[in-house]
Amino acid sequence: MTFSWPWLLLSVLVIPLIFAIRWWARRRRRRAAVRVTSIALVRSALPDRTRWTRKIPAALFIAGLALLAVGAARPQASVPVPQTSATILLALDTSGSMCSTDVDPNRITAAKKAATEFIESQRGGPRIGLVTFAGNAGLLVPPTDDTDALIKALDGLTVSRGTAIGQAMLASIDAIAEVDPSVAPTGATPGAGGEGYAGAAIVVLTDGANTQGVDPQTAAQEAALRRVRVFPIGFGTTNPSPMVCDNTQFDGGGWGGGFGGRGRGGFDRGRNVRTIDEPTLKQIAQTTGGSYHRAENAGQLQSALAALPGSFTVIRQRVDTAAAFAAGGAVLITAGLSLSLWWNRPRIPAR
């Protein structure tokens, strides 16, 4: 909790001042005491009160004053608020290693299925865009709420050489900038950073390491300057496995020879020994304020994607809570005074 006018918290000092005045008044009262011949007469003249009926009104009054003092300082609380205009850029790795069969039937097929289920689950929610990257990165579908168009684009994904993670992040930033004026494109100087994060996030799904193009950490710093969080997902296992894709999953260029059926009419370039560059992916998440997720099979990938919207479609905003403190203080003071008047009301002695 923060305060807009913290110096007004000094008004809470009125509470010890009240105690000091009460103590001084009681001392004067003792000096002006008179002697009486009958204690019974005094008791009959005083209201019938217990110890608690004397202390409860005073406690309520003091608590109410404390709440009013805090409210005067204009407290602000950070609360979770749904982000209805969120934009999600899904950057999918389409490098050749996505043909690895350590995930059945291969990584690219499992990734397309998980991405399809994720997009379907967000129908009617945030805008989603699609970026693919291998040796180069490109925007496949601009941020849209057209779920069918996104799924159709996923169906046509093909693999090729290279892994340009950093370039994919920059392409995602530019796609966000097209629909969100608060996010500057990569060629422009970002404006003064506001509080919290932008209403957009990038999800990078990759199974390897950056092999060409912009350094991923450089791209992460660009995203951080624009308050855009990046959520990397490392997909696949470290177990060597054949890389097999069918003809519909191959772009047909840049691979040269090495084609062979291996039972699927596609290609098999031997064993995949490349491991996920987890340190870099974790550093990207740390730099941008996102989080890194690891998925070794299709089920874990689907779970990782399903858990992400709660991270970037709910943001934290500062809400002024002064009115709540003032209302609470007024209620307590009113209750204290009311109870005091009620318990100290004059009573007609019974005959």
Side-chain angles (χ1 to χ4, degrees), residues 245-262:
C245 275
D246 61 35
N247 289 329
T248 63
Q249 297 173 325
F250 176 59
D251 69 355
W255 284 88
F259 295 89
R262 300 292 298 222

Side-chain angles (χ1 to χ4, degrees), residues 118-141:
F118 170 73
I119 292 170
E120 283 280 8
S121 69
Q122 301 302 306
R123 188 183 291 270
R127 295 170 298 193
I128 299 178
L130 186 60
V131 168
T132 57
F133 63 96
N136 291 299
L139 179 63
L140 198 60
V141 181

Side-chain angles (χ1 to χ4, degrees), residues 264-286:
R264 293 196 186 185
F267 66 86
D268 179 353
R269 299 192 57 85
R271 300 282 173 177
N272 172 29
V273 295
R274 181 174 296 282
T275 58
I276 300 169
D277 187 2
E278 287 195 290
T280 295
L281 298 181
K282 290 177 180 178
Q283 186 62 39
I284 290 172
Q286 182 179 356

Side-chain angles (χ1 to χ4, degrees), residues 31 46 64 76 82 109 133 139 143 196 204 217 264 285 294:
R31 292 175 184 174
L46 292 174
Q76 294 182 336
T109 302
F133 63 96
L139 179 63
V204 177
Q217 187 56 30
R264 293 196 186 185
R294 184 78 166 89

